[in-house]
């Protein structure tokens, strides 16, 4: 044991440091999280859980205290997400501390945190075999990034993005391990579980399931026994199936909101000929009146069942995808606009990070543990294209891992 600690002392230190930095933020007062913007009900409504403030403090304060009331709090709009089973598991964990009639949001944060710890542990098991630069530098970078409040705040929330975030990190870490040893059943099993969890986290992120399905297919063609290759081919098929299934389970109301927003608040208004854009997407001149609006503006017809059905009959994400294929310049311009305008805003400015009972003013945002996000925002404002260098960075020293 002592010999192991001597060999893995750096990794143990990094793991404990990361644990302390994140646990301090999400568990101990002043607790850090992300205020509800009225979306928590998509998950908690299924479990008959309500915030003690009855959502009066939405966006204004983080609320961690909830109660269970099947009569007043039950609501289900059909949303499917990995966050639901995580929240169910969290109710059992919370019951040990609050009783069955109450729920503490920090119990869910603890489960989210477990995924982060698993991802970091897997990463450390890989970097410990690398050269000094990778062994020392990568864990430091991981700690600097993922102990930042821009990321830790999602742990104390019930946003579907929280499930997507933690399962993406876990899937990525296991994928890295798989490319080093894809014969391990633990690796292939973990890859499948986390990949499926990622695909079912949120409809907008389900497409990532195809990315990990493609990686699994690559692993299926790497040298190994026939059984191992069949396993990875099966994993690829299952992940692709999970992605398709998630798309099919998405409710019409959940599909129409992002589709309406991208068409009427982005693509058509940004074009010199918006009527041509609408026509190419299956819409008509009668829809020009919705230009420069989004689905949350009062008076838009997205909540009208008849209009929504007709809208989804005329256009779809398939038509939107084909539009981008035929107009790659538009796709590049939209990505550039996101990179130069939206990307620097790493933290939502209208959603508080602190609880009222911890003594903070309304809509207070955390400034502690924000060095990384502050630097990234500043760099994105000055030179947004540095993200391309970040994407290329993993290839620089990839041969140093043996």
């Amino acid at each position: 044991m002592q010999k192991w600690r001597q060999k893995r002392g750096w990794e143990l230190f990094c793991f404990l440091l990361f644990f302390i930095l994140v646990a301090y933020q999400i568990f101990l007062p002043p607790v850090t999280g992300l205020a509800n913007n009225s979306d928590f009900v998509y998950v908690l409504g299924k479990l008959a859980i309500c915030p003690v403030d009855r959502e009066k403090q939405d966006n204004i304060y983080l609320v961690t205290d909830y109660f269970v009331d099947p009569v007043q709090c039950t609501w289900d709009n059909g949303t499917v997400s990995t966050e639901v089973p995580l929240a169910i598991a969290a109710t059992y964990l919370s019951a040990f501390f609050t009783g069955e009639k109450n729920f503490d949001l920090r119990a869910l944060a603890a489960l989210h945190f477990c995924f982060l710890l698993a991802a970091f542990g897997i990463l450390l098991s890989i970097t410990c075999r690398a050269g000094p630069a990778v062994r020392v530098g990568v864990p430091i970078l991981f700690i600097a990034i993922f102990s930042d409040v821009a990321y830790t705040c999602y742990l104390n929330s019930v946003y579907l993005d929280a499930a997507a975030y933690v399962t993406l990190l876990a899937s990525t870490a296991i994928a890295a391990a798989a490319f080093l040893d894809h014969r391990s059943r633990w690796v292939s099993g973990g890859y499948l579980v986390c990949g499926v969890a990622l695909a079912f986290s949120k409809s907008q992120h389900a497409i990532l399931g195809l990315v990990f399905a493609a990686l699994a297919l690559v692993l299926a063609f790497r040298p190994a026994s026939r059984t191992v290759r069949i396993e990875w081919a099966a994993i690829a098929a299952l992940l692709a199936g999970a992605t398709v299934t998630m798309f099919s389970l998405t409710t019409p109301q959940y599909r129409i909101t992002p589709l309406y927003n991208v068409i009427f608040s982005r693509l058509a208004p940004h074009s010199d000929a918006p009527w041509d854009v609408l026509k190419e997407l299956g819409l008509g001149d009668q829809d020009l009146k919705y230009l420069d609006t989004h689905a949350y503006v009062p008076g838009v017809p997205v909540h009208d069942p008849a209009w929504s059905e007709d809208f989804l009959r005329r256009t779809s994400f398939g038509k939107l995808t084909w539009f981008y294929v035929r107009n790659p310049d538009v796709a590049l311009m939209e990505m550039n606009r996101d990179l130069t305008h939206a990307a620097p805003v790493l933290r939502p400015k209208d959603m508080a990070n602190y609880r009222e009972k911890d003594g903070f003013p309304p809509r207070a945002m955390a400034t502690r543990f924000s060095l990384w996000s502050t630097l990234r925002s500043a760099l994105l404002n000055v030179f947004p294209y540095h993200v391309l260098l970040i994407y290329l960075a993993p290839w620089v020293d990839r041969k140093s891992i043996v």
Side-chain angles (χ1 to χ4, degrees), residues 23 45 105 153 163 199 231 256 299 322 345 393:
L105 184 61
C153 68
E231 284 179 1
I256 195 173
W322 187 237
V345 186

Side-chain angles (χ1 to χ4, degrees), residues 85-106:
L86 288 177
I88 293 173
T91 60
Y92 290 99
L93 177 60
S94 178
F96 283 107
F97 304 95
T98 63
E100 295 182 355
K101 296 297 183 181
N102 296 290
F103 175 70
D104 193 316
L105 184 61
R106 288 173 289 184

Side-chain angles (χ1 to χ4, degrees), residues 197-272:
L198 173 60
F200 280 101
S201 62
K202 189 176 182 179
S203 298
Q204 291 92 322
H205 305 312
I207 193 68
L208 292 171
L210 295 181
V211 174
F212 286 93
L215 292 176
L217 200 58
V218 171
L219 291 168
F221 284 94
R222 297 189 74 180
S225 67
R226 184 170 180 270
T227 301
V228 170
R229 296 175 69 178
I230 290 175
E231 284 179 1
W232 282 105
I235 289 172
L238 289 171
L239 291 180
T243 301
V244 173
T245 301
M246 184 58 174
F247 285 142
S248 68
L249 292 175
T250 304
T251 62
Q253 189 60 46
Y254 209 73
R255 291 202 305 270
I256 195 173
T257 298
L259 191 58
Y260 183 100
N261 288 342
V262 75
I263 292 173
F264 292 116
S265 68
R266 299 188 58 161
L267 294 181
H270 294 164
S271 172
D272 294 331

Side-chain angles (χ1 to χ4, degrees), residues 52-88:
V52 294
D53 71 324
R54 301 290 186 148
E55 296 191 339
K56 294 179 180 178
Q57 295 181 323
D58 281 5
N59 294 321
I60 302 173
Y61 283 108
L62 169 68
V63 175
T64 57
D65 299 320
Y66 292 75
F67 68 94
V68 181
D69 189 330
V71 177
Q72 302 181 59
C73 302
T74 300
W75 185 80
D76 187 356
N77 73 336
T79 298
V80 175
S81 173
T82 304
E83 189 73 354
V84 175
L86 288 177
I88 293 173

Side-chain angles (χ1 to χ4, degrees), residues 128-150:
C128 71
R129 294 174 279 176
V134 171
R135 185 181 181 187
V136 175
V138 170
I140 291 177
L141 187 61
F142 186 98
I143 294 171
I145 296 173
F146 297 109
S147 66
D148 189 285
V149 67

